[in-house]
Amino acid sequence: MLADQQIKNKKKQYQYSIFLGILFFILIAQLFYLQVYKQAIYLKASENNRIRQVILKSTRGLILDRNGEVLVDNHPSYSVYATPFEVQDADTVLRLISRILNIESEEISKIIKEKQAGYFTPVRLKRHIDFSTLSKIEEYKLDLPGISIQNDPKRYYPSGVRAPHLFGYLGELTREEYESRKKQGIKFGEIVGKKGLEMIYDTELRGVNGYRYVEVDVLGREIKRLSDKRELLDVPGQNLHLTIDAGLQKFLESRMDTIRGGAIAVDCETGGILALVSKPDYDPDIFSKPLSEDIWNSLLSDQNKPLYDRMVQSLYPPGSTFKLVLAAAALEKGIITPERTETCVGFYRLGTKTYDCWKKEGHGELDLLGAIEQSCNVYFYTLGLKTGQDIWAEYSKKFLFDKPTGIDLMAENSGLVPDREYLDKKYGKNKWSRGLIANQAIGQGDLLVTPLQMLRFTMILANDGFYHKPHVVNFREDVISNKKEWTEIETKKIPDISEKTYKILKEGMRRVVQGERGTAKGARCSGLEVAGKTGTAENPHGEPHAWFLGFAPFDKPKIALCILIENGGSGGAVAAPLGGDVIRYFFNSIN
Amino acid sequence: MLSYNKLKISEPDYIFILCVFILLIAGLTAIYSASFQLDKGDMQSNFYRQLTWVAIGLVFMIVVYLVPSRTLYSTAYLFYGISILLLILTLFSNGDGKVSRWLSVAGIQFQPAEIAKIGTLLALARYLAQNRRNLENVKEIGVSFGIVLMPFLLIIKQPDLGTSLVFLAMALPLLYWAGLSAFKIFIITAPILVLFASFNFYSFFLLMIIIASVLFYQKKSLVVSLLLFVINISVGIATPLLWNQLRDYQKHRILTFLGMEIDPYGLSYQVIQSKVAIGSGGFLGKGILNGTQTQLRFLPAQHTDFVFSVIGEELGFLGSFIIICLFFFLLLRGIYIASIIKNRFLSLITIGTVVVLGFHVIVNIGMTIGIMPVTGLPLPLLSYGGSFTIVSLALIGIILHTSARRYV
């Protein structure tokens, strides 16, 4: 029985083995047919593989002003691409394209090597080529396998508003940036926002790319689109509607064209920024064009720092504008009543040193309102010494001069309030003099603020302690559904400051502009009561910085603003008239 | 039947093991290449995951190799029962109406269909080993088919046409090996052939003539012959009607294979790209990491179902030929061992393993070179996949198990 089974199994072993052998022979025969007999054909097919996935680039969202005027738009523009696999060993192609683009062929090889994201992912050689380059490439298309042209829209600025610090610019995603953004599906070398709103709202502005399948010919030209089923349509980016008023922004940009400094205006009722100008700036359009290294280096090394947003990023001594903080502290703590008077003789003697008032002949006898109106230093030296370092620092912090505003712009500076701890550290424990306190009383010394913080302070005073988080984006709009996502208005109140104090400070500010002896008479507007405060901040860089803070109308503040002119001289003479112009322009435009 | 106590382990089959390792290394290399991307260093995680699965699979292989034969025999039905239970659970595990091939137990995800391959194999082998009655009884043939049909139906419902066919493929070679006569095999296969032929009138007609002739020359009773003839004709007529019951993509796959549908980007796109990849590899191949089709990702599922295309493109005819020869050797060795082992159960599970592995190899490679439909069956020892790799190595363990006990 066992023997029988084994013989039978021997027979079946042969049957099974032969059956298997036949099947495997068929496999090998077919492999031989494909790989040896037909190899040439398939090799060619693999080289000309015809079905490609084409990325449907989403349209980048526009940036518009508060009235819907387009500030940043897209323009068609063409870029030259090279497919690494096809050009890497093709010297003739490299030489030809190098001649057309006017880039050394070694440089092209370097670009390809650096930006390569895969053998078959085209690498951008040059953005925004001109028409003659484009037509040359089209002309030599047959001699340029692996070179292709794609539409990479560029930004343009139809309204005439420059505001480069607001908008920022676009650029290629670098290898370092790629790491942090690859999760969003953004590919290395893609165009992304590099600064400003373009960067902060990059995800919202860019939308989502789609794709579809196309059949291409040997030259990579699309011959046929393949069915709609496998397509994924692109989702256009959202439009950014800003709180910026294009007219006011343009007006300020032109008025400050030759000035170093800046201006910001805010809607007191919402915290929406109406205008934000920082000068000198740069033409945002230079980033739309091929950016030469020379231009970039000159921007970086320019002593006037045009790349800096002075309103948000830079720190300045606030000068006399800060007297309002000291006045608030002294009133709240009951150190003085508004009726208290001091006599100014043009200087203040402290020990062996004298501290000057800006008016050499002196102001005579002044109460608090008079001292604010005329910005008398002597009154505030006295007040500062009476109030003392700790209360002064406490109230500076209460008015948030050590905190950023949280505006939706980048690299905001948070200011510097020198408190006891800071001074001890800098000068040694209790080694700092009373003269230092006197200086701080008029906004000099170690104290540093950003113009944006001063603007928030102005808004706080205008609204009797209430303030809104400053923001630039009003709402984002989905261009397909027209659904709007509004920026939430975040309103807070400064605690523990009485309405009475605000009333006194505001009355002082009203007199600064409207008063007979006010320092900011240049900010007066007919038919409108304006309140403000000037500042003339001494600094080690030359002439003093000119400040003006203001809001209007006095009864029901609508606009608050802050102007800073670097080394401009007296705040009353230089900054206040400009402030008046801004307020006048604003109210003319809304009426 | 020989006593299981006499089955002692002797020398393992070293050359066989060597071949298995060469195939595993070839698979890992191809997966590495298929997952390689210049810009993404983290893409090779596929490779490391597969490496882990191979390691786990080798442990399973050794366990199967060492486990006493008696245990395999006595637990066969239990194993089968568990497999069926898991398959049923899989069908009902997804509450949202979406069918899945995966089941998650204690945080570990696996494909019960893979486990069922071993369970069904053991159960069928045990059933046929028990019933040494030359299988004249229709009931016994029926039960044998029942054993494979149960998992077949549960898996086709997942739906996984490719894997479910593995179970059908198991039945006939095992029955024939166990002693079913050639004529009975003919009777069973004839309707299946009719099924395929029925789509074309001429092929259907021709096949029916052949069937009639065989029936005539076999000189069976008129009633039996007529009955068989009528059954075959009915199948031929019913098939086109049942055709409409198939899911669209299943129809699509079969039609595409038959060249009846032009589809530049769908499934025939896969086959075209795979053929281009393999064909362009030439005799010596483009070299590892140099395959344009592979690196460009023109190949879909290139680390799973189409891993052989990567080998064809990057290692050429020579590499593909060696891989096929290694598989051929493994399977021939399995058949040989199944024929000399004196234990009927071990003989049957070994031949069953050969059938399961051989079916995968032929259907998968056939698919990549365009002579088999795209069924989604992976290639044993080479394709990426956890459950599949582990089960493939456990199956290899069965051949090793028998081989080591062949001198008793």
Side-chain angles (χ1 to χ4, degrees):
Chain A
M1 184 65 197
L2 272 175
D4 176 48
Q5 191 194 359
Q6 233 175 324
I7 291 163
K8 267 192 172 168
N9 275 349
K10 202 87 208 152
K11 197 179 112 199
K12 280 180 188 163
Q13 184 210 335
Y14 292 141
Q15 289 174 350
Y16 278 54
S17 301
I18 289 166
F19 185 66
L20 196 68
I22 293 168
L23 293 175
F24 270 65
F25 178 76
I26 295 170
L27 292 184
I28 289 169
Q30 171 74 357
L31 266 175
F32 186 83
Y33 174 77
L34 292 177
Q35 299 192 288
V36 180
Y37 187 70
K38 290 269 190 182
Q39 193 236 348
I41 291 165
Y42 282 114
L43 190 61
K44 203 163 182 315
S46 83
E47 281 163 2
N48 300 337
N49 214 323
R50 296 188 312 156
I51 294 169
R52 293 253 162 105
Q53 195 189 43
V54 173
I55 300 291
L56 303 172
K57 282 187 193 144
S58 57
T59 314
R60 200 170 173 88
L62 309 180
I63 301 180
L64 304 95
D65 91 331
R66 66 190 294 117
N67 303 314
E69 185 179 348
V70 178
L71 304 178
V72 183
D73 201 348
N74 299 309
H75 237 18
S77 170
Y78 296 92
S79 303
V80 184
Y81 284 79
T83 306
F85 180 78
E86 288 174 80
V87 300
Q88 60 188 358
D89 297 319
D91 283 339
T92 50
V93 175
L94 281 180
R95 251 179 282 137
L96 183 56
I97 194 70
S98 133
R99 230 176 46 223
I100 294 172
L101 295 180
N102 205 9
I103 308 175
E104 293 286 317
S105 63
E106 291 83 41
E107 179 68 22
I108 292 181
S109 302
K110 214 179 101 194
I111 294 173
I112 294 174
K113 217 171 170 178
E114 275 171 7
K115 297 188 186 171
Q116 186 166 326
Y119 286 132
F120 296 90
T121 313
V123 168
R124 194 185 293 107
L125 294 182
K126 197 171 181 179
R127 274 172 82 191
H128 312 310
I129 53 168
D130 56 27
F131 185 73
S132 79
T133 313
L134 176 70
S135 36
K136 249 184 240 157
I137 291 173
E138 286 295 335
E139 192 184 329
Y140 290 106
K141 186 119 204 176
L142 282 170
D143 303 317
L144 291 170
I147 300 291
S148 53
I149 303 282
Q150 283 180 35
N151 184 2
D152 276 335
K154 69 172 178 184
R155 289 301 218 181
Y156 87 112
Y157 306 87
S159 71
V161 168
R162 279 159 73 100
H165 302 107
L166 273 179
F167 304 143
Y169 52 88
L170 303 176
E172 289 180 5
L173 188 73
T174 63
R175 219 170 258 282
E176 296 77 50
E177 293 164 328
Y178 168 69
E179 281 307 313
S180 61
R181 298 202 62 183
K182 64 178 172 188
K183 281 205 188 86
Q184 289 172 259
I186 296 172
K187 293 201 184 76
F188 170 62
E190 254 186 83
I191 301 296
V192 294
K194 289 285 195 176
K195 250 192 168 172
L197 295 171
E198 296 274 25
M199 181 173 180
I200 295 164
Y201 292 96
D202 189 57
T203 309
E204 290 81 4
L205 282 167
R206 70 184 304 109
V208 182
N209 286 344
Y211 56 79
R212 68 160 183 253
Y213 290 90
V214 294
E215 204 174 319
V216 293
D217 67 7
V218 200
L219 301 174
R221 282 188 301 225
E222 200 175 314
I223 352 177
K224 203 171 87 189
R225 196 164 146 182
L226 296 171
S227 164
D228 297 15
K229 281 182 203 160
R230 299 223 160 190
E231 287 190 354
L232 180 70
L233 284 178
D234 55 301
V235 182
Q238 294 179 324
N239 287 345
L240 286 189
H241 289 255
L242 307 185
T243 56
I244 298 290
D245 182 302
L248 187 65
Q249 176 78 19
K250 250 186 294 185
F251 171 75
L252 262 171
E253 281 180 13
S254 70
R255 280 297 308 271
M256 302 193 79
D257 205 26
T258 55
I259 289 171
R260 237 173 340 108
I264 346 173
V266 70
D267 181 340
C268 288
E269 289 161 0
T270 62
I273 300 290
L274 295 165
L276 191 155
V277 176
S278 173
K279 290 277 181 179
D281 58 5
Y282 52 91
D283 186 353
D285 213 35
I286 59 169
F287 289 99
S288 301
K289 295 177 192 127
L291 181 65
S292 77
E293 222 158 295
D294 297 343
I295 296 178
W296 178 242
N297 284 334
S298 73
L299 278 175
L300 275 181
S301 60
D302 192 331
Q303 285 190 336
N304 290 331
K305 297 202 159 80
L307 292 172
Y308 248 64
D309 183 347
R310 291 172 149 73
M311 298 298 97
V312 178
Q313 293 175 270
S314 302
L315 293 175
Y316 300 94
S320 300
T321 56
F322 216 75
K323 288 172 181 166
L324 295 169
V325 176
L326 176 60
L331 287 169
E332 280 296 312
K333 289 282 174 184
I335 293 164
I336 55 159
T337 59
E339 293 77 32
R340 183 192 174 93
T341 58
E342 296 286 340
T343 306
C344 169
V345 292
F347 62 88
Y348 180 79
R349 198 180 294 277
L350 185 66
T352 55
K353 281 187 182 165
T354 56
Y355 291 83
D356 292 334
C357 187
W358 63 270
K359 198 173 176 187
K360 289 218 163 50
E361 57 275 28
H363 288 106
E365 194 177 341
L366 288 168
D367 62 0
L368 179 63
L369 289 176
I372 292 174
E373 178 182 353
Q374 299 190 45
S375 200
C376 173
N377 288 356
V378 171
Y379 189 96
F380 281 94
Y381 289 140
T382 321
L383 192 55
L385 290 167
K386 248 185 206 146
T387 308
Q389 166 66 17
D390 293 332
I391 292 173
W392 176 84
E394 181 195 335
Y395 276 81
S396 299
K397 287 180 181 174
K398 222 181 201 44
F399 285 110
L400 306 168
F401 282 103
D402 61 337
K403 299 218 167 44
T405 65
I407 193 171
D408 46 350
L409 289 172
M410 291 196 311
E412 189 187 357
N413 212 314
S414 53
L416 172 70
V417 174
D419 51 13
R420 184 171 286 273
E421 199 185 337
Y422 174 89
L423 294 175
D424 280 348
K425 210 167 155 190
K426 185 169 175 187
Y427 300 102
K429 197 155 175 69
N430 295 326
K431 293 257 176 69
W432 32 281
S433 64
R434 280 167 62 77
L436 198 114
I437 296 174
N439 252 333
Q440 277 178 3
I442 59 161
Q444 299 285 160
D446 293 294
L447 174 70
L448 290 170
V449 300
T450 67
L452 184 62
Q453 283 176 314
M454 287 315 301
L455 179 76
R456 174 174 60 187
F457 178 60
T458 314
M459 180 166 42
I460 290 168
L461 296 175
N463 291 341
D464 296 335
F466 288 97
Y467 64 101
H468 316 284
K469 184 162 143 184
H471 56 271
V472 177
V473 174
N474 197 10
F475 62 88
R476 303 197 305 263
E477 184 189 15
D478 187 306
V479 296
I480 295 172
S481 65
N482 287 327
K483 230 177 84 182
K484 291 168 184 173
E485 280 179 65
W486 294 83
T487 303
E488 216 179 303
I489 295 172
E490 287 178 43
T491 306
K492 283 184 188 155
K493 193 182 184 215
I494 301 291
D496 314 323
I497 308 265
S498 67
E499 262 178 55
K500 212 176 122 200
T501 300
Y502 286 119
K503 215 173 159 209
I504 295 161
L505 294 178
K506 281 162 78 177
E507 175 56 23
M509 288 174 80
R510 193 188 65 80
R511 288 212 211 158
V512 168
V513 181
Q514 308 296 346
E516 207 42 54
R517 292 173 179 180
T519 54
K521 280 187 280 191
R524 283 188 194 168
C525 306
S526 58
L528 198 67
E529 261 199 320
V530 179
K533 182 74 192 80
T534 57
T536 306
E538 303 291 338
N539 67 85
H541 306 295
E543 288 288 299
H545 298 322
W547 283 95
F548 176 71
L549 313 178
F551 62 86
F554 178 71
D555 299 326
K556 200 172 176 290
K558 171 75 187 154
I559 182 175
L561 58 95
C562 170
I563 287 167
L564 169 82
I565 296 164
E566 277 183 25
N567 311 116
S570 146
V574 183
L578 182 57
D581 290 347
V582 171
I583 293 169
R584 229 168 285 130
Y585 183 96
F586 178 73
F587 285 101
N588 280 341
S589 73
I590 59 174
N591 292 333
Chain B
M1 190 184 295
L2 277 165
S3 163
Y4 281 92
N5 297 333
K6 288 184 188 163
L7 293 165
K8 291 274 155 52
I9 298 178
S10 57
E11 191 94 326
D13 205 332
Y14 287 120
I15 298 174
F16 186 88
I17 293 169
L18 179 70
C19 293
V20 169
F21 271 90
I22 296 172
L23 286 170
L24 286 173
I25 289 164
L28 285 166
T29 311
I31 289 164
Y32 183 86
S33 178
S35 311
F36 182 75
Q37 252 187 341
L38 281 171
D39 54 334
K40 289 178 185 163
D42 57 334
M43 272 303 285
Q44 274 103 301
S45 57
N46 281 345
F47 170 77
Y48 293 111
R49 243 175 281 155
Q50 178 70 3
L51 202 59
T52 317
W53 289 328
V54 166
I56 298 170
L58 287 173
V59 173
F60 273 85
M61 181 182 91
I62 293 165
V63 169
V64 174
Y65 168 71
L66 291 175
V67 82
S69 305
R70 175 180 292 282
T71 313
L72 284 181
Y73 182 82
S74 57
T75 56
Y77 288 156
L78 180 71
F79 201 165
Y80 179 72
I82 293 170
S83 305
I84 297 297
L85 197 72
L86 290 174
L87 284 174
I88 293 169
L89 279 177
T90 312
L91 280 187
F92 294 101
S93 65
N94 290 63
D96 56 354
K98 247 175 92 182
V99 230
S100 165
R101 298 173 181 182
W102 299 87
L103 194 65
S104 183
V105 173
I108 300 165
Q109 279 207 321
F110 61 95
Q111 289 178 293
E114 297 300 331
I115 294 172
K117 282 176 192 167
I118 300 181
T120 309
L121 178 62
L122 290 178
L124 183 58
R126 174 167 169 177
Y127 183 77
L128 293 173
Q130 268 177 337
N131 298 278
R132 299 189 58 197
R133 280 162 279 181
N134 289 329
L135 296 161
E136 282 307 323
N137 192 331
V138 179
K139 186 195 134 206
E140 278 161 22
I141 298 172
V143 172
S144 303
F145 271 95
I147 290 172
V148 296
L149 275 176
M150 189 112 83
F152 168 78
L153 292 172
L154 287 169
I155 293 165
I156 209 166
K157 201 132 175 79
Q158 283 185 357
D160 186 348
L161 184 66
T163 307
S164 68
L165 286 175
V166 177
F167 292 85
L168 276 196
M170 230 183 267
L172 284 177
L174 268 171
L175 278 166
Y176 184 59
W177 191 261
L180 192 67
S181 69
F183 179 67
K184 289 228 169 83
I185 296 286
F186 170 76
I187 291 171
I188 297 164
T189 34
I192 299 167
L193 292 175
V194 169
L195 196 128
F196 282 104
S198 67
F199 286 96
N200 181 295
F201 177 75
Y202 296 103
S203 64
F204 178 50
F205 188 69
L206 194 71
L207 188 64
M208 289 316 293
I209 288 175
I210 294 169
I211 290 169
S213 324
V214 173
L215 289 173
F216 180 74
Y217 284 107
Q218 280 291 322
K219 295 188 169 54
K220 297 282 167 180
S221 75
L222 188 65
V223 180
V224 171
S225 299
L226 266 179
L227 186 69
L228 288 172
F229 193 73
V230 169
I231 288 171
N232 280 309
I233 284 205
S234 322
V235 168
I237 293 162
T239 306
L241 300 172
L242 289 170
W243 170 249
N244 296 325
Q245 302 287 313
L246 282 177
R247 279 166 179 269
D248 271 356
Y249 81 95
Q250 289 169 328
K251 279 187 203 173
H252 190 74
R253 284 179 175 183
I254 295 163
L255 284 179
T256 305
F257 169 60
L258 297 172
M260 290 156 112
E261 203 165 338
I262 293 152
D263 167 20
Y265 53 84
L267 293 164
S268 67
Y269 170 79
Q270 289 181 10
V271 177
I272 290 166
Q273 295 299 356
S274 171
K275 279 167 82 176
V276 168
I278 292 172
S280 65
F283 190 76
L284 290 173
K286 297 175 185 170
I288 289 163
L289 300 182
N290 276 333
T292 57
Q293 289 283 102
T294 305
Q295 301 306 330
L296 178 54
R297 259 143 262 276
F298 268 121
L299 288 173
Q302 54 186 5
H303 60 299
T304 57
D305 295 354
F306 283 88
V307 74
F308 190 78
S309 318
V310 177
I311 290 171
E313 183 178 28
E314 300 196 340
L315 299 177
F317 178 71
L318 198 63
S320 321
F321 180 74
I322 291 169
I323 297 291
I324 291 181
C325 285
L326 287 169
F327 274 123
F328 190 49
F329 170 77
L330 291 185
L331 297 173
L332 279 189
R333 185 80 188 151
I335 295 169
Y336 168 71
I337 287 161
S339 73
I340 61 162
I341 187 79
K342 293 188 189 81
N343 180 291
R344 199 173 149 82
F345 172 68
L346 289 188
S347 175
L348 283 165
I349 58 171
T350 307
I351 206 72
T353 302
V354 168
V355 171
V356 170
L357 291 176
F359 186 79
H360 274 97
V361 171
I362 289 161
V363 172
N364 178 281
I365 296 180
M367 164 183 87
T368 62
I369 56 180
I371 56 173
M372 283 278 173
V374 179
T375 44
L377 271 193
L379 187 58
L381 308 179
L382 277 89
S383 283
Y384 173 90
S387 309
F388 180 68
T389 302
I390 292 166
V391 166
S392 297
L393 281 165
L395 286 170
I396 292 291
I398 288 179
I399 297 179
L400 286 172
H401 176 102
T402 312
S403 164
R405 290 158 179 83
R406 67 188 183 272
Y407 296 115
V408 183

